[in-house]
Amino acid sequence: MDRLTNTIRPYAWGSTTAIAELIGVEPTGEPQAEMWMGAHPGAPSRTERGPLDEVIDEDPGRELGRAAVAKFGPRLPFLLKLLAAGAPLSLQVHPDLEQAREGYEDEESRGVPVDAPHRNYKDANHKPELICALTEFDGLCGFRDPVEAADLLAGLGVDSVKPYVDLLHAKPGDGALREVLTAVLTADPEEMAATVTEVTEAAERIGGAYAPYAGIARHYPGDPGVIAAMLLNHVRLQPGEALFLGAGVPHAYLDGLGVEIMANSDNVLRCGLTPKHVDVPELLRIVRFEPTDPGVLRPEASPDGEEVYETPIDEFRLSRFVLPEGATAPHDLTAATPQILLCVAGSVRVGDAGELTPGQSVFVPADEKTEVSGVGTVFRATVVA
């Protein structure tokens, strides 16, 4: 198995302290948004054998196992991250597999450069993801019931949002949500900026349920995504709780530290809260306009002590082991699939890789004998093959 050296991405929305505190080092003063663990070509983990993507390329069957290669191809199908949000991320959705393939082929055929700022599809894969909170974690996930969204907007007492309130009351759920999001994203920019300013002032004055949106607006003044965000469910996860984000579900992370796992893709369509490109027609094709419960996940414990976060996809499987004081027998984690193990608390011993402290991780090839012991918490990322 390989101890991993991982890249920390300094995106502007990142916390300046959360990752540093977890791994026990002095903050740099700069944002540290994500630590990537995996074989993504954008920032592959490094091992003593070389970059992890190159290690896997040399012998996919050995590193990933025959079943994983047969099902997902000769690539590690997931990317594991520590994610530390100090400010809201962009409001976004991800395509399903068919939409991703169609979109990628279309942009390739039109010769859109893969690094072009207006490019939507960087690859032909979907991007389901799961975020598990390590601290209190705030986010937006899925549409509210239109009547609830109308009541929230009406409670601001802002005349310029009344047309959206009326639309939400006038039409069936899916149609109302589509019309309002379309209207918000296609409104005259100057008029929308003035509306968002009024909304911000009202949200700051009222507080309570409006406080998260006032916070968003402080980071993105005048952005239509502030109003779009009010159409979504606000969720506050407690440590150990998680959210699964499937295709077409609008979402944004607002604040907190978590472990995130996703299918190995960069495909994002943005709805707002960003200076980046927003492709409204393509976005409206991808978004699922249906009210949803955020569906907070709690891990399901198995007899061997593994706590699994159940999801409906196979590209990743996330679980954790909470190892208490006084435990004697190690946990056997040997599997026919590839694994990344990440310590987030205490000190754990992983096979011949030795001790892991918070923020340290290892890649375990398929069928490699692996045991974990010690006192602490370790997350296990693998696939269902």
Side-chain angles (χ1 to χ4, degrees):
M1 65 186 70
D2 299 275
R3 293 182 74 102
L4 300 178
T5 301
N6 304 304
T7 297
I8 295 178
R9 310 305 293 257
Y11 305 137
W13 50 262
S15 168
T16 58
T17 59
I19 289 178
E21 289 175 356
L22 179 77
I23 64 181
V25 300
E26 285 295 317
T28 65
E30 299 298 320
Q32 294 181 316
E34 297 178 347
M35 177 188 286
W36 287 22
M37 290 156 279
H40 191 287
S45 299
R46 300 177 298 284
T47 76
E48 290 186 356
R49 297 188 285 160
L52 186 56
D53 57 341
E54 295 180 10
V55 169
I56 291 171
D57 285 345
E58 288 178 5
D59 192 349
R62 164 70 185 90
E63 303 296 333
L64 305 178
R66 287 182 295 178
V69 171
K71 190 167 187 176
F72 305 112
R75 301 287 184 271
L76 188 67
F78 64 81
L79 176 63
L80 183 68
K81 300 179 181 181
L82 279 173
L83 184 147
L89 283 67
S90 61
L91 191 60
Q92 59 190 257
V93 296
H94 306 303
D96 63 27
L97 192 54
E98 182 178 354
Q99 291 165 338
R101 288 171 176 165
E102 290 176 353
Y104 180 77
E105 290 171 3
D106 173 64
E107 290 184 321
E108 285 288 282
S109 69
R110 291 190 285 116
V112 182
V114 73
D115 58 351
H118 62 286
R119 174 113 184 195
N120 294 314
Y121 298 95
K122 308 296 172 108
D123 53 69
N125 200 12
H126 62 166
K127 193 187 177 188
E129 59 189 46
L130 176 79
I131 183 76
C132 177
L134 296 179
T135 64
E136 276 199 348
F137 194 98
D138 275 18
L140 305 172
C141 177
F143 285 109
R144 297 174 181 268
D145 180 276
V147 174
E148 292 179 9
D151 290 345
L152 189 70
L153 288 169
L156 291 164
V158 173
D159 288 343
S160 53
V161 301
K162 189 175 184 302
Y164 306 138
V165 174
D166 292 342
L167 276 173
L168 290 166
H169 281 303
K171 293 203 168 191
D174 296 10
L177 293 167
R178 176 181 287 276
E179 285 214 22
V180 171
L181 185 62
T182 302
V184 167
L185 296 181
T186 57
D188 176 82
E190 290 187 5
E191 292 180 4
M192 177 52 64
T195 295
V196 172
T197 297
E198 290 185 81
V199 166
T200 303
E201 292 171 352
E204 289 177 335
R205 183 177 65 255
I206 299 169
Y210 295 94
Y213 307 101
I216 292 169
R218 285 193 292 272
H219 288 284
Y220 298 99
D223 193 302
V226 173
I227 296 177
M230 298 184 74
L231 303 176
L232 307 185
N233 299 296
H234 174 246
V235 185
R236 174 164 293 170
L237 300 177
Q238 297 303 310
E241 296 180 335
L243 286 175
F244 173 73
L245 290 312
V249 177
H251 61 278
Y253 302 144
L254 304 181
D255 183 73
L257 177 66
V259 173
E260 184 183 38
I261 190 168
M262 61 188 62
N264 206 352
S265 170
D266 277 336
N267 289 325
V268 175
L269 289 117
R270 295 175 177 85
C271 316
L273 310 182
T274 179
K276 295 181 179 179
H277 177 62
V278 177
D279 184 337
V280 175
E282 185 65 10
L283 171 72
L284 297 175
R285 189 176 77 88
I286 299 302
V287 171
R288 294 184 178 175
F289 289 96
E290 53 190 37
T292 57
D293 185 294
V296 174
L297 296 176
R298 295 171 182 83
E300 297 184 14
S302 60
D304 64 359
E306 184 177 25
E307 299 178 340
V308 181
Y309 294 90
E310 297 288 353
T311 65
I313 53 94
D314 294 342
E315 281 88 345
F316 61 75
R317 176 183 182 272
L318 186 71
S319 61
R320 69 176 185 177
F321 289 86
V322 180
L323 308 175
E325 292 271 7
T328 53
H331 294 274
D332 184 356
L333 272 59
T334 306
T337 51
Q339 304 179 67
I340 291 179
L341 304 177
L342 166 67
C343 177
V344 297
S347 176
V348 298
R349 173 171 287 276
V350 179
D352 59 14
E355 298 289 328
L356 297 185
T357 56
Q360 295 182 331
S361 56
V362 297
F363 172 75
V364 184
D367 298 311
E368 187 86 8
K369 177 66 176 176
T370 310
E371 292 184 336
V372 61
S373 59
V375 179
T377 300
V378 61
F379 278 83
R380 179 192 202 186
T382 185
V383 302
V384 179

